[in-house]
Amino acid sequence: MIYYTLQNGDKIPALGLGTWKSAPGEVEQAVFSAIEMGYRHIDCAWIYGNEKEIGSAISRCIKNGIVKREELWITSKLWNEFHQPEAVETTLTESLKNLQLDYLDLYLIHWPVAIKKGAPRPWSASDFIPLEELPLINTWRAMEELVDAKLVKHIGVSNFSIEKLKGLKSEAKYPIATNQIEAHPYLQQPKMLKYCRENNISITGYSPLGSGDRPESFKKKDEPSLLLDPVLLDIANSHKTSVAQIILTWSIQRGTIVIPKSVNLIRMKENLESTSLLLSKEEMMSISKLDKNRRFFDGKVWAVKGGPYTISELWN
Ligand code: A2P
């Protein structure tokens, strides 16, 4: 496994297992097998609704002597309905209980979007809380208290624009350990990479494989298929490997953490093995030319008509 060193010297595994869309009923076995085959980083979130099963798998691995708690890196995320400072610790405690852990390695603000607690879906304009009313720094202060209480080792954010990172950084007491963002050859985010590198913020790339199993409502008709990209296929053929492995190797070689989701043992192994591949400078160059600035998750779900959030403000 390849590790990156964070600001305080702690090491995070460069490749982790994504668990969004991993269904209860299959995620427990997937996580157990992942840890057994050498995964040391599991990416979770309250909203995925499967932390209980993930917790059972982690606990079983520790009890069976497959791994020690301190060898694992477990991330979870604070959902949009719990940005109110007084809700932060309660929500974390629920995740910890479900995950059967007494601390998290990393806790993230899932989206820079606040929603009223318990608001039923589909959300309407009045279900959202404007950031002017509930500023991100208020939520962040409550996250910092979790560090002081030793309930989480690191805190970070997800889906934050450079402007939002700048704003938060200027007021934060503790460093922003990571910004977890969508990242893959069709959405390379070079400006974000540069900003984060210069400011010691690691980047975790989600949906590295194009997230083909996301709900149909999140898909568009004209979507390009990342796993069938001819340039990536050529490179994969010359290494006698798969496009998925090429994408994951590329992600790590450019210095980002990557969290491919799989519940399939063969694909999980394939993804893990991508940490031992090496791409040439020329191959890295030809992948960098594939950037289309194409988001598979454009955040439209937050840009409800008449509501306080807009797409341009989200990614500003
Ligand atoms: P599965 O869970 O059946 O393996 P992303 O990480 O971008 O969200 O992508 C997840 C999707 O990619 C899932 O549908 C997952 O299916 C699939 N997937 C994961 N690993 C691979 C792989 N090595 N090759 C092809 N598809 C993969």
Side-chain angles (χ1 to χ4, degrees):
M1 179 56 71
I2 296 167
Y3 287 80
Y4 296 132
T5 306
L6 297 174
Q7 281 190 47
N8 72 344
D10 283 356
K11 291 188 187 315
I12 178 166
L15 186 132
L17 183 74
T19 62
W20 179 47
K21 308 173 256 80
S22 299
E26 46 185 24
V27 70
E28 178 173 353
Q29 188 51 41
V31 171
F32 184 86
S33 303
I35 295 173
E36 207 176 24
M37 72 175 73
Y39 280 80
R40 292 294 173 263
H41 175 172
I42 313 290
D43 183 81
C44 318
W46 182 92
I47 194 63
Y48 301 163
N50 55 10
E51 288 189 326
K52 218 171 186 168
E53 287 80 1
I54 296 172
S56 304
I58 295 172
S59 156
R60 212 151 42 92
C61 284
I62 294 173
K63 274 189 199 130
N64 291 359
I66 294 166
V67 76
K68 295 194 187 80
R69 168 64 186 99
E70 57 274 22
E71 292 166 341
L72 289 174
W73 182 282
I74 311 293
T75 299
S76 185
K77 311 183 192 86
L78 178 80
W79 183 238
N80 306 357
E81 285 170 65
F82 310 113
H83 278 209
Q84 305 280 5
E86 59 277 15
V88 173
E89 187 174 336
T90 319
T91 313
L92 168 80
T93 306
E94 194 182 326
S95 282
L96 285 176
K97 186 168 168 253
N98 284 335
L99 291 165
Q100 302 189 37
L101 300 173
D102 50 19
Y103 72 90
L104 284 182
D105 296 277
L106 178 61
Y107 200 41
L108 308 178
I109 297 179
H110 206 148
W111 284 90
V113 170
I115 298 178
K116 287 178 187 161
K117 200 173 165 192
R121 295 185 216 186
W123 297 297
S124 56
S126 61
D127 292 327
F128 291 90
I129 309 171
L131 291 182
E132 296 74 45
E133 209 177 288
L134 180 47
L136 292 164
I137 186 64
N138 295 14
T139 310
W140 185 258
R141 291 269 176 261
M143 304 271 286
E144 289 179 329
E145 284 174 20
L146 302 178
V147 178
D148 292 334
K150 299 202 180 336
L151 293 171
V152 309
K153 290 205 168 175
H154 303 268
I155 49 178
V157 296
S158 183
N159 298 299
F160 271 44
S161 64
I162 293 175
E163 284 312 307
K164 288 199 182 71
L165 288 176
K166 280 183 185 166
L168 191 61
K169 191 172 179 289
S170 68
E171 296 190 85
K173 182 167 78 156
Y174 292 139
I176 303 168
T178 202
N179 186 19
Q180 186 176 126
I181 51 171
E182 181 181 336
H184 44 71
Y186 289 168
L187 183 68
Q188 302 195 13
Q189 311 227 37
K191 284 188 192 144
M192 178 65 80
L193 247 69
K194 183 171 181 289
Y195 173 81
C196 286
R197 197 169 295 134
E198 288 169 358
N199 288 278
N200 256 317
I201 299 170
S202 70
I203 287 191
T204 306
Y206 71 69
S207 297
L209 308 177
S211 225
D213 58 344
R214 86 201 104 101
E216 288 305 312
S217 57
F218 286 1
K219 292 184 182 171
K220 293 197 187 79
K221 282 199 189 97
D222 65 337
E223 263 181 22
S225 175
L226 191 55
L227 294 179
L228 296 176
D229 184 278
V231 172
L232 296 174
L233 273 167
D234 262 2
I235 299 174
N237 288 338
S238 68
H239 283 266
K240 295 190 171 44
T241 177
S242 68
V243 168
Q245 283 188 315
I246 297 300
I247 294 173
L248 299 175
T249 305
W250 166 83
S251 307
I252 294 168
Q253 256 178 254
R254 72 185 197 131
T256 59
I257 300 155
V258 69
I259 46 167
K261 172 266 173 184
S262 183
V263 288
N264 174 286
L265 294 199
I266 294 167
R267 289 193 280 276
M268 280 181 348
K269 195 156 189 295
E270 184 183 318
N271 297 346
L272 185 64
E273 281 168 0
S274 60
T275 52
S276 48
L277 277 174
L278 196 63
L279 296 175
S280 68
K281 236 181 173 168
E282 293 70 32
E283 288 166 332
M284 291 297 285
M285 279 292 281
S286 47
I287 299 175
S288 74
K289 290 183 190 143
L290 298 179
D291 196 3
K292 302 179 196 293
N293 197 25
R294 177 78 194 214
R295 283 183 196 281
F296 292 120
F297 295 93
D298 55 14
K300 272 204 178 111
V301 64
W302 313 127
V304 169
K305 204 164 173 243
Y309 296 92
T310 60
I311 297 284
S312 58
E313 187 275 336
L314 186 65
W315 308 121
N316 62 348

